[in-house]
Every structure is written in C-alpha cells, then in structure tokens.
Amino acid sequence: MKRTLIDLIPTYITKLRPYVPGKPVEEIERELKVKAIKLASNENPLGPSPKALDAIMHFLPQANRYPDGSGYYLREKLAGRLGVSMDEIILGAGSTELIELVARTFVTREDEVLTSDGSFAMYYIAAQEVGAQLVRVPLKNSEYDLEAISRGIGERTKVVFLANPNNPTGTMFTATEFERFFPRVPEDVVVVLDEAYFDYVQRPDYSRSLEYVRQGRNLLVLRTFSKAHGLAGLRIGYGIGRPELLGYLNRIRSPFNTSAIAQAAALAALDDVDHIRRSVESNNRGLKFLAEGLARMGVKFIPSVTNFILVDVGSDGDEVFELLKHEGVIVRPMAFMGFPTAIRVTVGTQEENETFLRAFEKVRSTFV
Ligand SMILES: *Cc1c(COP(=O)(O)O)cnc(C)c1O
C-alpha cells in the first residue's frame, strides 16, 4: 500500500488544532469599511521606545550579516540588571519559542506536562506537539489553584507551566503562595514560570522568582520584550535559569533564533526607563478607566494586574466579538481559551479605551 501524506505524520500532530490568528487590521478595515482599533493581543499601545527605533535604524544597514547567535551584549546587560550571570540567560524568538524549546528538550511521548485550565494556549500546544500527555488542573475562582496543581504532579510529570500573571484571566499568585507551592515540587520536575506581564504588576507581594534561580533550582523564569517594552513584532524574549538547564535548551535552540535588529532594539528598550514608566502608568490609568466603565454598565469582569481585562459578556463571546468588529473595535473572543462567554480586551490609549467602552455600550443593547 502506498502511504499518503497523513501516514507520514504522527497522530499527535494530525490531532493538533492549529492556532488561528486574527486577520490583519487592514484587512478588516477594508472588508467592513471602518477604521479599526486593535485591542486583541496585549500589545503596548504607545508603540516601541523611540530609543529602540533609533537602534533599529542604526543596525538595518547591517542586515546582510548574521546576528550574534549568542546574543552576547543583550545577555550581558540583562544579567547585570537581574543580578545573575550571563550563562543564566537564554534568548528566544519571543518567550513562546522558549516554551516550545522546554517541551522539546525535556518531554517525550511517555511524559506528562502539567498546567492550569484557562491559561496560555502555547503551553497546551507545546505539550501536544511532542506527543506528551497534557494534564490541566481546573481554575479556582478564576485563579490558578496552586494547591491542586501540586497534587497533580505525578511519576510521569516532567514539566509544569505556570503563567504569573495568568493570561487570559489577568490574575496573579503572590510570592508567598509560590513559596508554599514550590517545595512540594520534586527536584526532578522542571517548573516554567512565565512572567510575560512582569513590568505591569504593581503589587509589592508579586514575585521573588529569581531567588530560586540563584539557588540552582530547576526553574526557568520567562520574560519578554513583547509587552511593556513594545517590541512584539520583533520577536524577542528571554529565559532565566541555571546554566546546566539552559545548556540543554541551547543544544537544540536554532543558532540564529533572535535577529540582530531585535537584539539591538531590546538593548535600547531596556535603557529607555522613561518609556517603560510611561507605558506602565498609561496602562494603570487605562485599566482603571475600563474597570470603572464596565462596572458602571453592570458588566462582570475579573480585576486584572496586567494590560488586559477578561470581560464576561454573559452571552456568546464570538458574537460580541463580531458586533464590536463592525464598530471598528477588535478584541479577542475567548472560547478557544475555555471562556465561551468572555472577551479579552487589551488596555489601549485613553482614546482607544473610550472608543471601546462606547462601542461596547452600543452593541450591548443587542445582546443583553
Ligand atoms: C504575551 C505572552 C507571552 C509572550 O509571548 P512572546 O512570544 O514573548 O511574544 C508569553 N506568555 C504569556 C502568558 C503571554 O500572554
């Protein structure tokens, strides 16, 4: 019998549902003949730092050269900032590349990957693309249930993925809660602590994750330049972990995974403290403005510590997404993340937030 294409592919790949990205804003604008704003992907509405833009322009003429595959200067700067050594930093084409790298390095088809329900889709995809068993612990009151997650660790668990704060709920666990959880994790399980929204969190009881890295635990902390630093389009993030652990990730990391432009922009963005401060302040104001606006309308939402807000529309989220789209506001319907009656709204500029609230109030009369 002649094999067909599908016979060549492991079933754990054919079973995967592909990630469906939204259409480009320009395409939606053309289709609906509206001017659209995008509050769908938790991007920084203020744009990249002007210093990063300068660095990008400066390095563009060298685009014929391969990047420094070790990301020397960026790792050096990050190490200095974070109080770790350079060999405790690994760069990724976005932190999502590192999520996949962890799965491909540690996990086989015989293993389990443990994480939470209602969390970042990349954890689910990463587990499934290596054919592992994916175990998801239910949320408790819309938050991670660390206690139940620790009980979910079994003989075959190799990796635990935790997002703090979590996407899409916008909730966090405290450093003390993690301190209670972490000793319950066996030494031979790798914990990935994804802190993509680190810069936005204003609470003093947030995270002491790097202390555990310095203690040499099997912990990989993930951070990114895609959110507060406004460089999502350049694809650059990093992991902080002990050298031995990173050494194994580096064996299969694609040697030129982060571009020279991205490295240069990230270096400059790190120095632009003003831009980050402006971004965070604008976000805090926006978050408060959105929360107050929604509360005034009597709409349910989960209080957020991030740059987005999960809104329970009390109706089919996909339909509300469509209605808002026709008003020129693009949000993210959350059925695919397990919240069929929710939309996730990224905090925009003041003007964008006003536009969203106005559009939401308008379309709401059609579905409540
Ligand atoms: C946005 C986000 C990231 C960052 O992804 P990049 O690949 O760095 O752009 C990582 N984890 C979570 C939970 C996120 O929401």
Side-chain angles (χ1 to χ4, degrees), residues 182-196:
F182 201 39
R184 296 193 197 136
V185 180
E187 297 268 343
D188 58 1
V189 171
V190 174
V191 174
V192 176
L193 193 50
D194 181 349
E195 298 185 333

Side-chain angles (χ1 to χ4, degrees), residues 177-238:
E177 286 169 305
F178 185 73
E179 215 159 272
R180 264 200 298 276
F181 162 84
F182 201 39
R184 296 193 197 136
V185 180
E187 297 268 343
D188 58 1
V189 171
V190 174
V191 174
V192 176
L193 193 50
D194 181 349
E195 298 185 333
Y197 300 94
F198 180 87
D199 301 274
Y200 288 113
V201 184
Q202 300 294 298
R203 283 175 43 176
D205 56 351
Y206 172 40
S207 172
R208 292 193 292 272
S209 54
L210 296 192
E211 286 177 20
Y212 298 97
V213 172
R214 292 189 203 101
Q215 287 165 18
R217 294 292 309 268
N218 286 327
L219 177 70
L220 183 69
V221 177
L222 298 182
R223 305 237 175 114
T224 182
F225 290 97
S226 296
K227 304 288 156 68
H229 296 83
L231 298 177
L234 292 186
R235 312 306 304 126
I236 187 155
Y238 57 101

Side-chain angles (χ1 to χ4, degrees), residues 84-303:
V84 297
S85 68
M86 268 181 78
D87 56 1
E88 289 171 309
I89 311 263
I90 185 170
L91 303 184
S95 48
T96 47
E97 188 198 23
L98 299 173
I99 292 168
E100 291 184 285
L101 209 51
V102 167
R104 283 162 48 214
T105 302
F106 291 101
V107 185
T108 72
R109 292 166 61 180
E110 279 73 53
D111 304 322
E112 275 178 19
V113 168
L114 180 64
T115 184
S116 176
D117 255 345
S119 193
F120 193 41
M122 275 316 298
Y123 310 149
Y124 310 152
I125 293 171
Q128 288 167 310
E129 75 181 21
V130 295
Q133 191 71 35
L134 172 67
V135 181
R136 309 190 338 184
V137 175
L139 294 169
K140 189 171 156 189
N141 304 325
S142 305
E143 294 187 16
Y144 265 36
D145 186 351
L146 287 182
E147 162 74 34
I149 291 174
S150 71
R151 275 187 274 112
I153 297 173
E155 287 284 300
R156 301 195 309 166
T157 309
K158 282 260 189 82
V159 174
V160 181
F161 285 111
L162 305 174
N164 194 37
N166 184 38
N167 175 8
T169 56
T171 55
M172 59 164 261
F173 48 81
T174 65
T176 309
E177 286 169 305
F178 185 73
E179 215 159 272
R180 264 200 298 276
F181 162 84
F182 201 39
R184 296 193 197 136
V185 180
E187 297 268 343
D188 58 1
V189 171
V190 174
V191 174
V192 176
L193 193 50
D194 181 349
E195 298 185 333
Y197 300 94
F198 180 87
D199 301 274
Y200 288 113
V201 184
Q202 300 294 298
R203 283 175 43 176
D205 56 351
Y206 172 40
S207 172
R208 292 193 292 272
S209 54
L210 296 192
E211 286 177 20
Y212 298 97
V213 172
R214 292 189 203 101
Q215 287 165 18
R217 294 292 309 268
N218 286 327
L219 177 70
L220 183 69
V221 177
L222 298 182
R223 305 237 175 114
T224 182
F225 290 97
S226 296
K227 304 288 156 68
H229 296 83
L231 298 177
L234 292 186
R235 312 306 304 126
I236 187 155
Y238 57 101
I240 313 146
R242 68 189 182 96
E244 189 188 354
L245 194 157
L246 300 194
Y248 290 113
L249 299 181
N250 269 322
R251 290 186 192 202
I252 56 168
R253 178 178 65 82
S254 167
F256 302 114
N257 61 332
T258 64
S259 74
I261 305 293
Q263 289 177 27
L267 260 170
L270 274 177
D271 273 340
D272 198 345
V273 183
D274 268 350
H275 185 262
I276 299 169
R277 190 178 36 79
R278 266 197 305 278
S279 302
V280 172
E281 282 172 6
S282 156
N283 184 67
N284 291 344
R285 278 194 304 275
L287 201 54
K288 191 156 165 278
F289 180 77
L290 286 176
E292 285 168 0
L294 290 165
R296 219 177 308 116
M297 286 184 244
V299 179
K300 279 196 285 182
F301 61 89
I302 302 177

